[in-house]
Amino acid sequence: MTNPNNISLNISHALEFIDGHALNIPTLKILSEDGDILDGATAPDLDKETALRIYSTMRFIRLLDERMQAAQRQGRISFYMQCLGEEAAITASAAALKQEDMIMAQYREQAALHYRGFSLEQFMNQLFSNEKDLGKGRQMPVHYGSNELHYLTISSPLGTQIPQATGYAYGQKLKHIDAQSGELSSEIDNVTICYFGEGAASEGDFHAGLNMAAVHKAPVLFFARNNGYAISTPADEQFKGDGIASRGVGYGIKTIRVDGADTLAVYAATQKAREIAVTTGEPVLIESIAYRLGAHSTSDDPSGYRTKDEEAEFKSNCPVARFKAWLLKQGWLNEEEDEAQKDKIREEILAALKVAEKIQKPALEELVSDVYDTPIPALQKQYEELKEHIKQHPDAYPITAGRIK
Amino acid sequence: MAKMNMLHAINSALDITMAEHPQACIFGEDVGYFGGVFRATSGLQEKYGKHRVFNTPLTEQGILGFANGLAAFGAPALAEIQFADYIFPAFDQIVNESAKFRYRSGNEFNVGNLTIRTPYGGGIAGGLYHSQSPEAYFAHTPGLKLVVPRNPYQAKGLLRACIKDDNPVIFFEPKRLYRASTGEVPEGDYTIEIGKAEVVKEGKDVTVLAWGAQMEIIEQAAAKAEEAGISCEIIDLRSILPWDAETIAKSVTKTGRLVISHEAPITNGFGAEIAATIQKECFLHLESPIERVCGLDTPYPLALEKEYVPDALKVFAAIKKSVEF
């Protein structure tokens, strides 16, 4: 029976409470640590070309992260964030999507952006906030974004992209809804994937976004990266209950939990989730269980809050190595070529870094452009006054003084 | 032309927008079949379907988060916050997200399609949480536009301008006037330019400035002043951000005096910004200090509302003080 509370009542006469962990959601795992398909598991339909593209993206991001982490330590950039330990989760999920699907990321998903085609030069231009940065040098390093690649520019406030993803996905669905019946009349062209960490799942926006998506049936794939830590706060100090996945169930959203270090499991889960979203118009939650091998950011020092033993345990479960082992067994990858490729990429990264750091900063007018579609009168006036001031004191403003018209 | 109250005028502006763009959506708490707590969206769900005019769960941050996403997608997002007092849970989505979308992305993305409608202000015996005027909080945020109409004609033309504007706009609707203010309104489409104040009545002795529901109050005060032989120039600011400093400065240069009135508490109210700017622009023309007649620095009261509000008598007293300085 149903009632106005939208609940199917299952009447009981026993005084029983349901335990917070009662769901005990299973975790999908397909690939063993040695790169074998596990007994009872089915490998997803993943062609050689896609598999190698996933692998080369993971390898590239590892090398980029390693080099730019060092560049921050050298004082060449102000800040950096690695995705060490989560390469498989991010890359394989992005690979299971269409190029035109929207990506709304948190900040640690550079692998998804690279998979889409964001070039080494584009990464560098953003990291050095030079005049070629698509974001015009306004945000800290790693706040990437590209309209062409359908990757929403990163926002520092945590979790804000979650209800936005619901709204964006609803927009993607609108043209497929029959005006008379209000029902989905055809398969949806594109969906939105929304990445966030388990820490962000504590924000009000998470709850607002999931609830809105469930109620209004938005084709959004919520991808929770449960990597064990929110900066220094371990997961057991962040939430109770059965992970983030149980929240999805609570909101009435189809949910799956995957081993986030298993490229094949993440790929299979995301591919299926997308299929559900385009055919039903409904949201899906994927919780990826991985481990953040690196620091939260370059401002963080994980040695202060986790043990060497813990880190070593997870280092042995490297998502890149696991996928590589599978590729080698497939005969799709050659160890010697792989090593040679690595050296070549390292050289390219270093060369691109040297170019990007010499490109000049954005022009002064970028201080006032894009606040509105056109500068409002008060802002235009402030800009004119600033220009005059700089003209009178050019030595104090060497970056812009010589370029003012 | 047709005789409309402010709710009809707003409904008409929304109706035109929904007909114009097949992906425009109206959403908020109770806005669906019920038409919103004040019925501003009445009849629109029947006309455009539940998929385009819909109730949301009770989550202001969810409404604005959703609205930012929908607008970023490119669909006109017409979000309603049931009372301006309840806009604060959405503060982060508005101030950190809507306002900065274009700037932070280098114009890779924007939410220019976003319009937030919200009833504001007192005079309905609503007490602390149904009477606030929070415009100043948002006026401190580059990237937003803020507009306040004073009558049905303004409401329709300004709302249409807000919807067409390629920036996120908050449209504060004076709820006290929803049904109280009626007038002739064109049935077809028209817009009123955002960012321009309107000189409602010309005068020579003192400039009296307000916006929204407070316009009625300053007009009553000006009428008293005229009886006392004081000629008032009355200006409706209409847009809080961007605001028309030029029109105000021109008027004050002529009259030499300025009285500003708003319902929100005086400290850091938007009147403070106007007073500071006009003091700089018109310093040598000022005959007396700029007067502000505003709410007290208290939460909005219930039982003693009459004492609290900047009424016509208080504005008249300020006009006299300014002229007799």
Side-chain angles (χ1 to χ4, degrees):
Chain A
M1 88 187 248
T2 58
N3 65 11
N5 299 347
N6 193 29
I7 293 166
S8 300
L9 292 183
N10 173 17
I11 301 292
S12 162
H13 305 297
L15 181 61
E16 283 174 3
F17 292 86
I18 298 167
D19 186 76
H21 287 81
L23 281 178
N24 194 12
I25 295 168
T27 303
L28 177 69
K29 182 170 176 175
I30 293 176
L31 203 53
S32 79
E33 277 72 5
D34 301 326
D36 295 314
I37 303 295
L38 291 159
D39 288 345
T42 309
D45 185 14
L46 181 61
D47 61 68
K48 181 181 172 185
E49 190 193 349
T50 308
L52 290 177
R53 187 171 157 198
I54 291 171
Y55 177 70
S56 69
T57 299
M58 295 198 287
R59 187 183 52 195
F60 171 83
I61 284 300
R62 237 182 211 200
L63 298 171
L64 180 74
D65 281 356
E66 187 183 279
R67 186 67 200 89
M68 298 321 291
Q69 178 89 359
Q72 194 279 337
R73 296 291 183 236
Q74 294 165 339
R76 293 163 94 168
I77 56 172
S78 60
F79 179 80
Y80 196 75
M81 293 179 114
Q82 313 177 73
C83 67
L84 196 67
E86 295 185 81
E87 295 94 338
I90 296 159
T91 317
S93 54
L97 303 173
K98 295 269 182 291
Q99 177 80 5
E100 291 76 24
D101 288 345
M102 189 63 179
I103 295 179
M104 295 201 177
Q106 182 162 306
Y107 45 56
R108 204 185 294 288
E109 295 88 354
Q110 52 266 44
L113 184 56
H114 185 61
Y115 189 87
R116 283 274 165 97
F118 206 64
S119 70
L120 173 58
E121 288 70 29
Q122 286 177 308
F123 278 106
M124 287 297 172
N125 293 335
Q126 198 285 330
L127 293 169
F128 283 96
S129 35
N130 64 32
E131 67 173 2
K132 288 187 174 175
D133 167 24
L134 291 178
K136 302 183 186 172
R138 288 167 184 157
Q139 292 212 77
M140 285 167 72
V142 313
H143 288 60
Y144 310 109
S146 165
N147 192 317
E148 191 193 343
L149 298 176
H150 309 282
Y151 192 98
L152 187 81
T153 304
I154 303 299
S155 166
S156 300
L158 207 55
T160 52
Q161 80 280 15
I162 302 171
Q164 291 171 12
T166 299
Y168 199 96
Y170 192 81
Q172 290 171 314
K173 182 184 174 182
L174 268 182
K175 65 177 171 178
H176 303 279
I177 302 179
D178 182 78
Q180 300 306 317
S181 69
E183 297 300 318
L184 203 58
S185 57
S186 62
E187 192 167 280
I188 297 165
D189 298 338
N190 289 112
V191 300
T192 298
I193 191 166
C194 178
Y195 292 98
F196 52 90
E198 87 286 349
S202 298
E203 293 284 359
D205 275 331
F206 166 82
H207 303 280
L210 264 67
N211 194 32
M212 294 275 285
V215 170
H216 291 294
K217 297 185 178 177
V220 53
L221 313 183
F222 295 112
F223 195 98
R225 299 183 293 95
N226 186 346
N227 64 15
Y229 287 92
I231 312 183
S232 70
T233 304
D236 67 354
E237 291 177 32
Q238 294 179 63
F239 56 81
K240 296 296 170 194
D242 194 27
I244 306 304
S246 66
R247 313 287 154 93
V249 176
Y251 281 111
I253 293 174
K254 273 203 173 59
T255 296
I256 189 168
R257 175 178 286 153
V258 296
D259 177 346
D262 179 345
T263 304
L264 296 184
V266 174
Y267 187 83
T270 313
Q271 201 175 39
K272 185 67 187 169
R274 188 183 190 280
E275 188 189 314
I276 293 167
V278 297
T279 53
T280 66
E282 296 194 23
V284 182
L285 174 74
I286 301 167
E287 181 183 24
S288 148
I289 305 296
Y291 186 81
R292 195 192 74 210
L293 279 173
H296 164 73
S297 75
T298 46
S299 308
D300 175 40
D301 176 11
S303 71
Y305 54 84
R306 58 191 197 191
T307 63
K308 287 274 173 236
D309 287 350
E310 180 185 309
E311 288 185 21
E313 184 192 334
F314 284 95
K315 262 181 191 146
S316 67
N317 178 21
C318 168
V320 184
R322 200 198 298 191
F323 190 51
K324 182 179 167 181
W326 183 73
L327 289 171
L328 289 169
K329 285 176 184 175
Q330 293 286 104
W332 290 353
L333 191 69
N334 170 315
E335 190 78 69
E336 292 74 40
E337 276 177 29
D338 186 42
E339 277 307 310
Q341 272 291 326
K342 266 191 198 168
D343 293 338
K344 187 166 166 273
I345 294 167
R346 279 201 185 94
E347 285 167 27
E348 285 171 358
I349 290 172
L350 195 60
L353 186 156
K354 285 177 178 168
V355 171
E357 69 183 342
K358 291 202 178 70
I359 297 173
Q360 62 185 355
K361 295 297 168 200
L364 186 70
E365 72 172 83
E366 303 296 9
L367 263 183
V368 298
S369 65
D370 306 327
V371 179
Y372 295 93
D373 57 341
T374 51
I376 62 172
L379 187 51
Q380 192 59 43
K381 193 174 167 189
Q382 291 159 25
Y383 176 55
E384 296 303 330
E385 286 170 3
L386 176 62
K387 265 203 305 193
E388 274 314 303
H389 175 78
I390 293 176
K391 276 184 189 168
Q392 285 167 26
H393 307 278
D395 297 345
Y397 308 94
I399 289 174
T400 49
R403 295 157 67 198
I404 291 177
K405 288 163 213 137
Chain B
M1 299 282 251
K3 194 156 169 93
M4 293 188 195
N5 66 23
M6 195 179 276
L7 288 166
H8 293 143
I10 289 163
N11 188 278
S12 172
L14 294 172
D15 194 355
I16 290 169
T17 307
M18 294 298 283
E20 179 181 71
H21 199 301
Q23 288 181 330
C25 290
I26 294 171
F27 46 95
E29 293 158 11
D30 302 326
V31 304
Y33 180 74
F34 190 57
V37 65
F38 295 103
R39 312 291 185 273
T41 54
S42 285
L44 297 175
Q45 187 179 69
E46 291 90 319
K47 205 164 170 182
Y48 298 103
K50 275 185 170 177
H51 64 296
R52 291 181 58 205
V53 182
F54 48 87
N55 296 331
T56 63
L58 304 187
T59 167
E60 288 77 14
Q61 72 187 107
I63 293 168
L64 259 300
F66 182 96
N68 280 328
L70 186 64
F73 172 76
L78 308 167
E80 178 178 303
I81 296 296
Q82 199 163 67
F83 285 89
D85 310 72
Y86 302 127
I87 206 166
F88 297 109
F91 201 67
D92 183 56
Q93 280 289 348
I94 298 171
V95 167
N96 270 328
E97 300 294 317
S98 316
K100 296 171 174 65
F101 234 87
R102 189 192 303 269
Y103 189 77
R104 74 167 177 231
S105 71
N107 205 21
E108 288 286 298
F109 298 93
N110 74 77
V111 292
N113 271 326
L114 170 61
T115 305
I116 305 164
R117 293 177 38 250
T118 188
Y120 87 98
I124 60 150
L128 278 68
Y129 296 118
H130 296 83
S131 306
Q132 295 175 71
S133 301
E135 67 270 18
Y137 291 99
F138 298 100
H140 197 54
T141 304
L144 299 177
K145 289 192 177 182
L146 313 177
V147 175
V148 194
R150 75 170 187 280
N151 62 31
Y153 177 81
Q154 304 276 331
K156 183 173 174 183
L158 284 169
L159 180 53
R160 280 291 292 155
C162 293
I163 292 165
K164 287 184 165 188
D165 193 277
D166 198 18
N167 297 282
V169 189
I170 308 180
F171 190 70
F172 290 102
E173 299 168 0
K175 64 171 102 70
R176 186 169 63 77
L177 304 185
Y178 268 152
R179 293 177 199 281
S181 178
T182 55
E184 292 294 319
V185 176
E187 284 168 278
D189 193 18
Y190 64 97
T191 57
I192 296 171
E193 188 181 353
I194 296 175
K196 292 282 174 235
E198 184 189 6
V199 180
V200 176
K201 189 185 90 63
E202 293 200 16
K204 58 183 175 49
D205 297 329
V206 56
T207 301
V208 189
L209 171 69
W211 51 86
Q214 203 57 21
M215 284 305 296
E216 207 178 40
I217 305 297
I218 67 167
E219 284 179 309
Q220 288 165 13
K224 283 182 196 290
E226 298 286 342
E227 283 170 23
I230 303 166
S231 165
C232 299
E233 180 141 310
I234 301 175
I235 299 182
D236 177 4
L237 193 63
R238 296 199 295 202
S239 294
I240 308 287
L241 187 66
W243 71 282
D244 187 356
E246 199 182 329
T247 295
I248 315 305
K250 194 175 151 202
S251 172
V252 175
T253 300
K254 179 176 77 175
T255 63
R257 296 178 177 87
L258 177 61
V259 175
I260 306 162
S261 183
H262 59 64
E263 286 184 31
I266 189 164
T267 299
N268 269 324
F270 196 68
E273 174 61 34
I274 298 170
T277 302
I278 296 303
Q279 179 267 145
K280 188 182 177 203
E281 295 293 321
C282 305
F283 186 68
L284 295 175
H285 300 277
L286 284 172
E287 302 285 345
S288 65
I290 296 169
E291 287 288 335
R292 286 182 287 157
V293 189
C294 306
L296 303 182
D297 288 347
T298 69
Y300 200 104
L302 183 66
L304 299 181
E305 186 169 355
K306 183 168 167 39
E307 284 70 18
Y308 173 85
V309 294
D311 63 4
L313 191 56
K314 289 177 186 172
V315 177
F316 174 54
I319 291 170
K320 275 210 303 186
K321 199 172 162 189
S322 177
V323 172
E324 290 164 6
F325 181 79

